[in-house]
């Protein structure tokens, strides 16, 4: 879609050229959502693609995904990591979470990790991935400072997050300790290729710690860390999710999301348990 209100496109090539970014500016990475509907308040686009960020950096500490990394590049990690890091047992989760995104292969080639997180829709597949793997965002602020925080805290509600005007999401870090964990994945949608109504992911770390994340079914990620795989503890944690946290949209009633997410969590306990 043509954005008829846009008057200027800025293409910064280094950090200090990014700003100022105002309320009428839109940060552009892949643009698959940005160009999908009218943006009547947008007057300028700030294109991140010329900053030259490496899409994926892998080292002994884990994986750094640039905000401009595409969904297709994330999916490819499921095939690449078993060859380079066979002890990173969570590798299948990358492709699994990508399939939770309702999108064609053409969209996969353009849609970005940063765009998915910053839109902060409940069904954001990169939110599901990074929440399950203890992901942390790195945010650049216009005053030159940086801050990091867990993805589970970054997203605060349906289409809501902690970003202030002028903040730019730089990258997401996934620690090696989480990548070594065994994982189990469950996703449900009203139709096989439909937008996710529920995504539940479990992870068992090497020390036996059990991490359960619930996304899509809730307006923000809910991540529970338990001493071990304990279905009774999971039921108690699930019961603490507030009534108003369950997503309300045409892809599933809140009561359905609440009930079925627990069933999926119990399945994950059975799969990952001793």
């Amino acid at each position: 879609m043509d954005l008829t209100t846009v008057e200027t496109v800025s293409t910064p090539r280094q950090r200090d050229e990014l700003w100022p970014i105002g309320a009428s500016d839109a940060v552009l990475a892949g643009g698959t959502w940005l160009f999908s509907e009218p943006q009547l308040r947008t007057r300028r686009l700030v294109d991140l693609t010329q900053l030259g960020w490496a899409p994926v950096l892998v080292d002994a500490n884990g994986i750094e995904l640039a905000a401009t990394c595409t969904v297709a590049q994330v999916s490819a990690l499921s095939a690449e990591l078993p060859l380079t890091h066979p002890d990173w047992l969570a590798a299948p989760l990358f492709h699994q979470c990508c399939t939770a995104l309702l999108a064609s292969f053409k969209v996969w080639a353009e849609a970005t990790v940063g765009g998915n997180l910053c839109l902060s829709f409940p069904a954001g597949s990169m939110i599901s991935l990074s929440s399950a793997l203890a992901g942390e965002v790195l945010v650049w602020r216009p005053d030159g400072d940086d801050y990091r925080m867990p993805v589970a805290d970054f997203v605060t509600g349906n289409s809501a997050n902690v970003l202030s005007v002028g903040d730019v999401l730089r990258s997401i870090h996934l620690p090696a300790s989480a990548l070594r964990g065994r994982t189990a994945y469950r996703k449900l949608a009203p139709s096989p290729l439909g937008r996710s109504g529920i995504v539940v992911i479990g992870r068992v770390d090497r020390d036996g710690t059990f991490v359960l994340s619930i996304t899509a079914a809730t307006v923000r990620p809910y991540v529970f860390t338990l001493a071990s795989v304990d279905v009774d503890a999971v039921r108690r944690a699930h019961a603490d999710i507030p009534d108003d946290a369950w997503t309300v949209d045409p892809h599933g009633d809140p009561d359905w999301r609440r009930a079925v997410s627990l069933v999926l969590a119990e399945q994950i306990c059975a799969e990952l348990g001793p």
Side-chain angles (χ1 to χ4, degrees), residues 4 18 47 64 86 88 90 126 132 141 153 161 180 186 195 216 222 229 250 254 260-261 263 265 267:
T4 57
L18 276 167
D47 185 353
E64 196 88 7
W88 287 5
M126 298 298 98
R141 301 192 65 182
D153 296 329
N161 55 56
R180 294 189 187 99
R186 297 291 189 277
R195 174 178 170 178
Y222 278 82
V229 179
V260 177
S261 61
V263 172
Q267 290 180 0

Side-chain angles (χ1 to χ4, degrees), residues 123 187-190 194-199 215-218 247 251-252 256-257:
K187 173 234 175 176
L188 281 181
R195 174 178 170 178
S196 299
I198 303 171
V199 177
T215 53
T218 50
T247 305
H251 302 282
W256 173 77
R257 296 178 198 265

Side-chain angles (χ1 to χ4, degrees), residues 67-202:
T68 49
C69 176
T70 67
V71 172
Q73 290 167 324
V74 172
S75 174
L77 289 169
S78 285
E80 296 167 3
L81 291 177
L83 303 177
T84 60
H85 294 76
D87 61 326
W88 287 5
L89 303 180
L93 201 57
F94 290 88
H95 179 71
Q96 288 170 332
C97 285
C98 289
T99 63
L101 178 69
L102 176 58
S104 69
F105 70 91
K106 295 180 181 179
V107 172
W108 274 29
E110 298 295 333
T112 61
V113 172
N116 197 261
L117 265 71
C118 290
L119 285 171
S120 299
F121 295 149
S125 59
M126 298 298 98
I127 297 172
S128 300
L129 172 69
S130 49
S131 296
L133 292 178
E136 286 191 340
V137 296
L138 170 62
V139 177
W140 284 357
R141 301 192 65 182
D143 61 5
D145 286 342
D146 304 336
Y147 66 86
R148 286 187 181 271
M149 68 184 311
V151 170
D153 296 329
F154 173 80
V155 179
T156 57
N158 190 344
S159 304
N161 55 56
V162 302
L163 291 177
S164 299
V165 174
D167 287 354
V168 174
L169 179 66
R170 170 60 180 87
S171 60
I172 299 90
H173 183 258
L174 307 174
S177 57
L179 292 166
R180 294 189 187 99
R182 295 185 295 116
T183 60
Y185 168 88
R186 297 291 189 277
K187 173 234 175 176
L188 281 181
S191 61
L193 298 178
R195 174 178 170 178
S196 299
I198 303 171
V199 177
V200 183
I201 300 171

Side-chain angles (χ1 to χ4, degrees), residues 46-71:
V46 181
D47 185 353
L48 302 181
T49 62
Q50 300 305 305
L51 288 164
W53 296 339
V56 181
L57 294 174
V58 180
D59 61 24
N61 295 319
I63 298 175
E64 196 88 7
L65 300 174
T68 49
C69 176
T70 67
V71 172

